[in-house]
Amino acid sequence: MKNITHAVIPVAGFGTRMLPLSKSVPKELLPLGNRPAIHYVVEEAIAAGIKHIVLVGHAQKSAIENYFDTNAELDNQLRNKGKDQLADSLNWLPEDVTVSMIRQGKPLGLGHAVLAARPIIGEHDFVVMLPDVVLDPFTTDMHNDNLAFMITAFAKDGHSQILVDKVADQDVHKYGIAKLSAVDNDVNNTSDVNANDNTDINDNTDANASFAVAGFVEKPSLAEAPSRLAVVGRYVFDNRIFDYLANTTASVGGEIQLTDAIDALISEYGVNVTTMRGDSYDAGDMHSYMQAFIYFAQKQLADDE
């Protein structure tokens, strides 16, 4: 059994899709209801059993690290005013959870950001969580669903896991789309899924199920898409992904692509996708972010009544 306790969260992006909001405030700290988006991502990690969270950022993202640190002056002021409960709520990280930050150095892509965490991750297998993607915490059990399920699946068979969810036809071109093969018979009765095959695996995805993936097609047209299952932004990786990232040739623009390393991992060891339960929100896109803010705020207001 492989026990995963480390997570990498890349936070170095400037958030150009969220300007002007993200001009001076890191996009990861923009609120969803009464908490910043990254708060929910870290809560998800902790619920799944993660004990060490590595933020990969740059010099202008120190506010994110500060959010997870204790503000001793603020804490003292609140307690002197008798607001102990509020002070306790600000220091919400469990004592056995550590948050570290390391700088990416150069903006050379997601793969490079993940590789930058290697000095802290060391030989551990680990999780990658994209902070733009916030999974709905109100409709799923974070202790058992999605990331937690992926970690358990990895522990059972050693295959790296990538979370996917069905997207609408008109949105296929926006995402990396999974090419499936050797689908588990418990999920689907066929061993191959082709581009326009309207099978159970495409239509019944509101449940966690793990099965083999043959590869990914980046932002295909609907006609060329091998499925409608898009990468959501949660990964569970065997530590060997670092070796592939270190040897990945930079693409146009000088970026090291995570997908290239995943393809290499698939070819040698196999990788699984896990279908997602519940909903997710793109907190790095203005339209989706505003929808998410309203939804999270309504849920929290209802809980306060």
Side-chain angles (χ1 to χ4, degrees):
M1 296 284 286
K2 295 188 174 185
N3 184 33
I4 291 185
T5 57
H6 288 66
V8 175
I9 304 179
V11 296
F14 281 106
T16 54
R17 293 186 297 162
M18 298 298 288
L19 289 169
L21 277 179
S22 58
K23 181 179 179 181
S24 58
V25 178
K27 62 177 181 177
E28 295 84 4
L29 292 181
L30 294 176
L32 290 179
N34 63 0
R35 298 176 179 87
I38 197 168
H39 185 110
Y40 301 100
V41 177
V42 171
E43 278 191 330
E44 176 191 351
I46 294 170
I50 298 300
K51 301 299 182 183
H52 195 161
I53 295 162
V54 182
L55 306 173
V56 181
H58 60 71
Q60 297 181 32
K61 291 297 189 84
S62 59
I64 301 174
E65 187 177 16
N66 292 341
Y67 178 77
F68 295 104
D69 201 359
T70 299
N71 186 326
E73 183 178 358
L74 175 60
D75 186 80
N76 288 333
Q77 284 191 17
L78 291 173
R79 295 190 189 283
N80 288 337
K81 294 178 180 179
K83 298 181 179 180
D84 290 351
Q85 186 174 359
L86 179 57
D88 291 341
S89 71
L90 299 181
N91 302 319
W92 56 276
L93 280 177
E95 292 185 0
D96 61 346
V97 173
T98 301
V99 177
S100 304
M101 193 162 193
I102 192 167
R103 294 187 180 179
Q104 185 176 359
K106 297 179 181 179
L108 299 180
L110 177 57
H112 181 261
V114 173
L115 184 60
R118 192 174 197 176
I120 299 179
I121 298 297
E123 299 302 315
H124 296 282
D125 302 315
F126 61 101
V127 165
V128 172
M129 307 174 75
L130 303 190
D132 286 352
V133 180
V134 179
L135 304 192
D136 186 344
F138 305 107
T139 58
T140 57
D141 178 3
M142 294 296 183
H143 293 278
N144 295 290
D145 298 337
N146 298 323
L147 183 64
F149 179 94
M150 295 164 69
I151 291 173
T152 299
F154 175 80
K156 289 179 179 178
D157 63 18
H159 286 132
S160 296
Q161 307 281 328
I162 299 174
L163 192 64
V164 294
D165 193 29
K166 180 185 175 182
V167 294
D169 289 354
Q170 63 268 26
D171 292 330
V172 163
H173 70 283
K174 300 177 183 179
Y175 301 95
I177 301 297
K179 180 181 179 182
L180 309 179
S181 65
V183 178
D184 191 316
N185 287 331
D186 290 338
V187 179
N188 194 0
N189 292 325
T190 182
S191 61
D192 293 296
V193 178
N194 57 39
N196 295 307
D197 190 1
N198 188 23
T199 57
D200 291 343
I201 195 56
N202 272 329
D203 292 333
N204 184 23
T205 57
D206 194 29
N208 288 142
S210 176
F211 46 89
V213 66
F216 296 89
V217 180
E218 190 65 23
K219 298 180 179 179
S221 67
L222 179 61
E224 296 174 338
S227 74
R228 285 178 288 171
L229 297 180
V231 176
V232 173
R234 298 291 184 269
Y235 309 81
V236 177
F237 283 130
D238 185 288
N239 188 271
R240 286 174 286 204
I241 192 74
F242 280 139
D243 293 330
Y244 292 113
L245 287 169
N247 294 301
T248 295
T249 302
S251 62
V252 176
E255 294 190 346
I256 297 175
Q257 301 296 334
L258 182 60
T259 52
D260 292 341
I262 291 172
D263 286 341
L265 193 63
I266 289 172
S267 65
E268 290 210 31
Y269 297 103
V271 170
N272 284 11
V273 289
T274 295
T275 49
M276 188 182 80
R277 291 197 69 185
D279 297 314
S280 66
Y281 292 90
D282 183 355
D285 171 80
M286 189 63 73
H287 181 75
S288 178
Y289 166 75
M290 288 191 291
Q291 290 179 321
F293 179 87
I294 293 170
Y295 173 72
F296 276 67
Q298 289 176 332
K299 286 290 187 180
Q300 290 164 356
L301 288 171
D303 288 342
D304 289 340
E305 292 178 354

